[in-house]
Amino acid sequence: MPEKPVLNSRNKKPRGLDFLFSDVQYLKGVGPRKGEALKKHGIKTVFDLFYYVPRKYLDRSLITPLDKLEEGMTVTVLGTVVAFGELRRRRRLFKVIIENDRAELELVWFSGYRYLQNAFSEGDVICVSGTVRRYGGLNIPHPEFEVVGSREDETIHTGRLIPIYPENSLFKEVGLHSRGLRRIIKPALDHLAENPCETIPEKWRKEYGLYDLTRAIYQIHFPDKMETADSGRQRLAFEELFYLELIMAGRKSNRRKKMTGIKIGPPKKMGRKLLDSLGFKLTKAQVRVLNEIYADMAAGFQMNRVIQGDVGSGKTIVAALAMLGAIENGFQAAIMAPTEILAEQHYFSISGLLKPLDIDTVLITGSVRGANRAETMDAIAGGRASVVIGTHALIQKKVEFNNLGFAVIDEQQRFGVAQRGDLLAKGLNPDILVMSATPIPRTLAMTIYGDLDISVIDEMPPGRIPVKTKLVPEDKRHEMYDFVKNAVKNSQTAYVIYPLVEETEKSDLKAATEGYEQLKGDIFPDRTVGLLHGRMKGEEKQKIMIDFRDRKIDILVATTVVEVGLDIPTATIMLIEHAERFGLSQLHQLRGRVGRAGIKSYCFLMTGPRVTEDASRRIEALTEISDGFKISEIDLQIRGPGEILGTRQHGMPELKVADLTDTRLISLARRLAFDMIEEDPALNSEENRFIKTVLKMRLGKKLKYSKIG
Ligand code: ADP
Ligand code: MG
């Protein structure tokens, strides 16, 4: 960054891209305090500032003038705060008076005084929604309100649309409320307009009807109409996605180019033997995915593939068959799971699958300690252990592999890209297979797993009957228990799940333990009831799982630890307590624990007294839909693109403008980016050179991520 003032000085104004990516601190009006606040919020450059887009726009034509109000109307109004404060009459109340040139209006509150005291300043222009009452004069009790600017703020008084920026107390403290922001954005934008520059190819702008950069930013912050604000956003969203996809394309092309991966042929004898030992035939989809994996393994580049498939679609056996390729060729294979219990479950089922093949499988988790641990480490280092299953304990420095050639990462959502990297470092470019827990729509998967190849198991094993899913009201609880009793009598088993958000959450654990005691003592006294939670020791957990599988336990009370991966075919009932506290994909995962053996199965949802609107939408979706891909689409809509599936953890830059549900734009950006890298991998052509410059500037310090150029 240049150590010279940018807009603060007359003579030394950088132009074009240099200006766009210069330090925000050098903008006129941004002193140290504002600069610091902006940077704390991730706004480091002028470019970042332009990308700080309004949360929404208020359409002035939908605002009712203050002099047109009548009792009983539900309205949105706009006015300037002229007075506010707490009054002590017969009742304590807080009052705000707003006015515009035509009239005044009172807003009143009967609670929340402390918050309100700090919420307003004289001269604030606020937008208020509520229902008008008459009490003496007209007023609005307990309105929704939002500070949108101040009296002197021109855009508030002229434009039809009033931009509303995200609530940000940090910004407010230093005077960067909406108006303060626009005050620094406007001159910066004017400077850009005088010295325009571009970050995407001109020809695409024409072809896809995208605004030029200046216009886009202008329309976002100072819109003429809703439509033009929207077009501005589209343009920035496209740009954001394009550069994201460009990084992905670069990473992928780099990996392909290197050709330093291990070449492994598909398993022969071992594969046959394993297939013969299964009680079923692979589905067409499983075979197809397996062939995609084998093709990657045989190629000279390092495999990086993700398997997407609904709960119960049979990802585990596919992973096991893939690993055999490595093992038969003399390499070690590893599976990394996100939780201890899942690692144990994998160990349990994989070692079972591989035992007839004489393959040594070891487990390494935090609970494997002492002599056992030392022995396990030895087996891994010496190569005696062909398959190593574990949690992130697996990627600790101390664990040394003899020759790791293939690694499966299960339920990737919970691991970050960094961990993928650590695992990679354990072997000579081992092939990597990621198994995703939650199926997600294709375009989204392409973006999130951007640099990975995707295989989709889009078919369920035959004979699966959809799990009947019901919301059970509290007064039907005992009827439901009777139903469970009956099922259990017919040698089926049931889960009862309690939420446990954090493994350390004491009150949650207490609820599960109490639930367990009650079910054991009062509800099912003549049945065996077991308890499973994350705080139990490894061996304890394993014993419970084995007992449950062998039907020595009829009803398993568990916390969310069973959410992923547990595979007990006799289980036919899934009873979820406080279903309102679970996410939709999580509920779908839980439901996926039953109905795995062609026996009619049930999922009962119980809720606590307080169910939010979103929670009831989730529950409704679950009761109506059984397809995991559709479920995740709805999950996306409910949660919103911002919170999507922990995109941060994927090592994906946070998207500021783009919406991950906009599949059309994502596809376009992806296609253009991948085509560009395919034609010109280092972005060295005359035409593309500026793209490389922009990419570098956008990435700033993160440059090493891309490895382009
Ligand atoms: P997930 O994709 O959720 O990880 P699993 O791999 O745990 O699913 O498989 C779910 C169950 O289906 C397991 O009990 C597995 O043995 C069984 N299964 C897998 N593939 C098939 C198939 N082709 N036919 C019948 N059952 C299968
Ligand atoms: Mg699984």
Side-chain angles (χ1 to χ4, degrees):
M1 228 25 82
E3 278 301 309
K4 58 194 180 197
V6 175
L7 273 187
N8 282 328
S9 145
R10 287 250 169 112
N11 329 329
K12 294 181 181 164
K13 285 184 190 173
R15 301 179 173 190
L17 291 177
D18 286 333
F19 168 66
L20 200 57
F21 290 97
S22 59
D23 194 326
V24 72
Q25 181 104 42
Y26 297 103
L27 281 179
K28 196 172 190 168
V30 182
R33 254 159 63 83
K34 287 191 171 108
E36 198 182 319
L38 288 167
K39 282 176 189 172
K40 258 199 192 141
H41 204 72
I43 300 176
K44 302 201 171 82
T45 62
V46 174
F47 177 82
D48 295 332
L49 180 66
F50 289 154
Y51 256 79
Y52 188 71
V53 303
R55 183 162 59 80
K56 62 176 184 187
Y57 302 93
L58 206 62
D59 189 338
R60 187 181 286 279
S61 69
L62 303 177
I63 289 171
T64 310
L66 291 184
D67 59 344
K68 296 279 185 322
L69 299 182
E70 280 168 35
E71 194 179 353
M73 285 167 102
T74 297
V75 291
T76 299
V77 298
L78 197 66
T80 308
V81 174
V82 290
F84 63 95
E86 190 182 327
L87 299 175
R88 283 175 190 273
R89 303 228 178 112
R90 249 177 327 168
R91 250 182 105 178
R92 219 174 143 189
L93 66 88
F94 191 92
K95 198 182 221 180
V96 174
I97 299 172
I98 58 169
E99 64 161 34
N100 62 16
D101 30 330
R102 280 181 261 194
E104 261 189 15
L105 177 70
E106 277 183 19
L107 316 172
V108 290
W109 283 266
F110 301 102
S111 60
Y113 311 102
R114 189 172 318 153
Y115 165 74
L116 292 164
Q117 194 65 52
N118 297 314
F120 303 96
S121 306
E122 203 263 312
D124 278 352
V125 174
I126 63 175
C127 170
V128 178
S129 306
T131 303
V132 182
R133 291 280 133 81
R134 181 173 293 282
Y135 188 84
L138 293 179
N139 68 44
I140 301 185
H142 284 250
E144 304 262 337
F145 70 96
E146 200 148 24
V147 179
V148 299
S150 66
R151 190 160 21 216
E152 300 83 25
D153 195 343
E154 249 180 59
T155 40
I156 298 275
H157 303 292
T158 53
R160 181 168 77 95
L161 294 176
I162 302 167
I164 296 176
Y165 289 87
E167 280 285 320
N168 186 329
S169 52
L170 182 67
F171 282 9
K172 266 189 199 154
E173 269 168 38
V174 298
L176 287 175
H177 32 63
S178 294
R179 174 171 180 246
L181 276 166
R182 282 192 293 265
R183 259 195 174 169
I184 55 173
I185 292 173
K186 185 70 165 54
L189 190 47
D190 288 342
H191 180 70
L192 182 72
E194 284 163 32
N195 310 277
C197 64
E198 250 314 331
T199 51
I200 58 172
E202 178 92 29
K203 60 175 188 219
W204 294 352
R205 286 200 355 246
K206 296 215 176 83
E207 194 166 346
Y208 306 109
L210 299 164
Y211 280 6
D212 66 56
L213 185 63
T214 312
R215 184 170 180 207
I217 298 168
Y218 203 97
Q219 288 305 323
I220 282 174
H221 297 283
F222 309 94
D224 293 334
K225 301 188 285 209
M226 207 58 112
E227 298 76 53
T228 51
D230 232 42
S231 300
R233 237 169 214 280
Q234 283 272 319
R235 145 73 213 232
L236 287 203
F238 169 80
E239 173 179 330
E240 192 172 36
L241 290 166
F242 168 71
Y243 281 96
L244 173 67
E245 296 291 356
L246 201 62
I247 295 172
M248 305 286 189
R251 277 194 209 155
K252 197 163 160 178
S253 131
N254 233 41
R255 213 169 39 231
R256 291 266 154 131
K257 215 168 46 200
K258 272 203 200 141
M259 300 297 274
T260 49
I262 302 163
K263 289 190 194 174
I264 298 176
K268 301 192 177 79
K269 272 203 308 258
M270 283 181 172
R272 247 301 42 97
K273 216 165 164 188
L274 177 54
L275 282 174
D276 289 344
S277 73
L278 298 172
F280 52 78
K281 268 182 63 188
L282 296 184
T283 61
K284 276 204 203 79
Q286 282 171 316
V287 173
R288 190 190 65 238
V289 168
L290 204 50
N291 284 330
E292 288 166 357
I293 295 170
Y294 287 151
D296 279 4
M297 289 170 75
F301 54 81
Q302 181 209 8
M303 170 168 97
N304 256 275
R305 187 170 279 280
V306 54
I307 309 185
Q308 280 239 81
D310 204 350
V311 183
S313 61
K315 296 184 286 285
T316 312
I317 185 70
V318 170
L321 280 159
M323 288 195 305
L324 281 188
I327 297 165
E328 234 185 76
N329 285 281
F331 289 100
Q332 288 174 300
I335 301 183
M336 183 159 80
T339 63
E340 234 174 71
I341 205 151
L342 191 54
E344 276 149 16
Q345 155 82 22
H346 274 313
Y347 176 66
F348 188 69
S349 52
I350 301 268
S351 58
L353 280 172
L354 301 185
K355 207 162 255 157
L357 309 183
D358 247 354
I359 291 173
D360 272 340
T361 305
V362 297
L363 175 70
I364 182 141
T365 65
S367 306
V368 179
R369 296 209 184 92
N372 193 358
R373 189 178 188 90
E375 200 179 303
T376 304
M377 302 271 260
D378 250 21
I380 300 172
R384 260 175 296 128
S386 297
V387 178
V388 183
I389 297 172
T391 50
H392 40 264
L394 203 103
I395 51 173
Q396 284 166 1
K397 285 234 165 54
K398 279 179 248 157
V399 183
E400 273 176 43
F401 283 82
N402 183 38
N403 59 346
L404 180 64
F406 191 90
V408 179
I409 304 182
D410 192 13
E411 323 295 0
Q412 156 85 351
Q413 263 78 354
R414 309 218 183 160
F415 289 112
V417 165
Q419 274 144 320
R420 226 202 290 161
D422 286 347
L423 190 52
L424 273 174
K426 293 277 170 202
L428 284 166
N429 282 327
D431 284 327
I432 295 214
L433 182 66
V434 175
M435 292 203 284
S436 94
T438 320
I440 49 177
R442 182 144 189 106
T443 4
L444 182 59
M446 286 194 312
T447 307
I448 285 187
Y449 297 116
D451 59 329
L452 307 188
D453 294 297
I454 300 175
S455 287
V456 184
I457 304 183
D458 50 5
E459 180 187 356
M460 287 300 232
R464 292 278 163 84
I465 315 163
V467 177
K468 192 159 176 82
T469 306
K470 267 194 170 153
L471 175 63
V472 179
E474 195 55 46
D475 59 0
K476 294 271 164 66
R477 184 180 278 278
H478 283 275
E479 246 173 79
M480 175 182 66
Y481 285 147
D482 288 341
F483 188 91
V484 176
K485 267 181 213 162
N486 251 322
V488 170
K489 224 182 275 167
N490 292 318
S491 47
Q492 296 168 24
T493 54
Y495 290 98
V496 177
I497 304 293
Y498 282 86
L500 181 64
V501 181
E502 297 278 333
E503 300 246 330
T504 50
E505 200 83 44
K506 279 210 186 97
S507 58
D508 279 345
L509 194 57
K510 190 163 157 239
T513 318
E514 280 173 2
Y516 162 70
E517 296 294 344
Q518 203 203 356
L519 291 172
K520 194 167 96 164
D522 307 343
I523 316 282
F524 306 112
D526 43 4
R527 288 289 156 194
T528 37
V529 182
L531 177 66
L532 183 68
H533 60 74
R535 290 268 200 97
M536 289 160 64
K537 284 212 192 80
E539 300 139 45
E540 250 179 301
K541 282 188 274 194
Q542 192 133 343
K543 178 162 186 325
I544 299 274
M545 285 195 300
I546 293 172
D547 284 352
F548 188 50
R549 187 204 53 183
D550 296 344
R551 265 190 267 127
K552 285 186 199 141
I553 289 173
D554 301 312
I555 295 150
L556 182 64
V557 178
T559 56
T560 332
V561 289
V562 303
E563 175 202 329
V564 279
L566 269 199
D567 183 25
I568 311 282
T570 51
T572 58
I573 292 173
M574 170 60 62
L575 196 175
I576 303 172
E577 295 285 353
H578 285 283
E580 79 278 7
R581 286 179 51 190
F582 293 89
L584 184 51
S585 295
Q586 214 181 2
L587 288 170
H588 180 66
Q589 275 289 337
L590 283 169
R591 175 169 64 179
R593 300 306 111 212
V594 299
R596 297 168 83 86
I599 310 168
K600 178 98 191 118
S601 300
Y602 300 85
C603 176
F604 297 128
L605 307 170
M606 304 289 301
T607 59
R610 273 190 306 272
V611 181
T612 63
E613 203 185 314
D614 277 357
S616 41
R617 279 173 71 195
R618 291 195 293 266
I619 290 169
E620 196 185 308
L622 194 77
T623 54
E624 285 168 8
I625 301 167
S626 54
D627 177 334
F629 286 93
K630 292 217 180 80
I631 292 261
S632 72
E633 233 164 278
I634 292 174
D635 196 19
L636 201 62
Q637 283 164 16
I638 297 175
R639 284 202 284 176
E643 285 179 52
I644 201 170
L645 303 166
T647 43
R648 271 234 181 120
Q649 291 177 29
H650 286 275
M652 210 177 97
E654 206 180 347
L655 293 173
K656 292 175 182 163
V657 184
D659 176 344
L660 281 177
T661 55
D662 190 347
T663 54
R664 194 194 60 86
L665 208 60
I666 294 173
S667 304
L668 177 66
R670 186 173 176 86
R671 179 167 61 77
L672 292 170
F674 275 73
D675 285 354
M676 185 177 278
I677 291 292
E678 165 126 34
E679 273 173 37
D680 181 14
L683 300 177
N684 277 337
S685 75
E686 189 74 35
E687 231 185 330
N688 294 337
R689 211 170 293 152
F690 87 101
I691 297 273
K692 184 156 144 182
T693 310
V694 174
L695 180 67
K696 282 184 178 169
M697 285 175 148
R698 286 186 66 114
L699 288 169
K701 286 194 208 87
K702 287 173 287 182
L703 190 61
K704 62 178 188 305
Y705 241 78
S706 80
K707 294 188 194 149
I708 287 183

